[in-house]
Every structure is written in C-alpha cells, then in structure tokens.
Amino acid sequence: STVAISYLHQALMLWLPVFPCGMCIRHLARERAANFHRLQRFSVHSANCFVQSDRLLVNRNIAVFMEDAGFVNKGASGTEQGRMQALGVFDRIVQQKGPDMLLR
C-alpha cells in the first residue's frame, strides 16, 4: 500500500510539470498549422491594410518590386492589367514559399 502511494506520488511529481509543457506545445502546434493554412490561402487583395487609403500605394509598390525582382515583365507595373498580374504572382509566391519559410 505504501509502495503504491510512493509510485503514485512519483508519477504525480513527474507529470505535473510535464502536463503544462505539453499544453503549450499543443497550442504552438495548432498556431503553426493555422499560420500554414493562412499562408496557403493568402491574397494581397484580402490582406488587412492598416490605413485603407494606402492600399493602392502598397499594391503599386508590390507590383514595382515584382517587376524589379524579375518576376514579371518590365513595364508591367505601369498598367492596371500588369499590376494585377504582378499581385497574382506575389500571391502565388507567398502561398508556395511562405509555409516553407515558417519552418526555418
């Protein structure tokens, strides 16, 4: 009987600190999975913009960046169609590369 109580006491002393750690790890794993999912569905068009009046400027800057980086043809950022293409390419890069970057 005292041996059983001793084993129970040891088990409780071992598992009491482990349980909260396990809960934290579980929470972090769920957050990471949610971030992966969000990145896989990312769209610059539905992204939050702190100042909504800046959205046009932000989108143009992304289009210019995509052009300068060589992801779209030179001059693409000068037309609405080109900007939309650049934003689409940007979305796909974030969707494809973003989750892998979270692993680093």
Side-chain angles (χ1 to χ4, degrees):
S1 172
T2 57
V3 173
I5 291 174
S6 175
Y7 281 130
L8 180 62
H9 181 262
Q10 287 177 353
L12 284 174
M13 295 306 289
L14 174 70
W15 286 105
L16 280 177
V18 171
F19 185 74
C21 292
M23 294 297 291
C24 286
I25 291 170
R26 181 177 179 213
H27 174 74
L28 292 173
R30 285 183 172 179
E31 290 254 335
R32 184 178 212 170
N35 287 336
F36 268 63
H37 185 66
R38 278 193 288 276
L39 281 171
Q40 289 171 334
R41 294 180 302 125
F42 176 82
S43 171
V44 72
H45 300 290
S46 62
N48 291 333
C49 194
F50 185 70
V51 178
Q52 207 50 244
S53 61
D54 288 346
R55 184 176 291 277
L56 183 60
L57 177 64
V58 170
N59 287 350
R60 283 186 180 160
N61 285 339
I62 292 170
V64 169
F65 168 75
M66 297 303 287
E67 183 181 317
D68 289 345
F71 290 106
V72 294
N73 295 331
K74 290 288 182 193
S77 64
T79 67
E80 183 63 27
Q81 183 180 0
R83 283 191 292 276
M84 295 305 288
Q85 177 194 13
L87 294 175
V89 172
F90 180 77
D91 284 350
R92 285 189 293 284
I93 289 171
V94 171
Q95 293 164 359
Q96 293 169 0
K97 303 289 184 184
D100 290 338
M101 295 185 83
L102 283 180
L103 295 175
R104 295 179 185 163

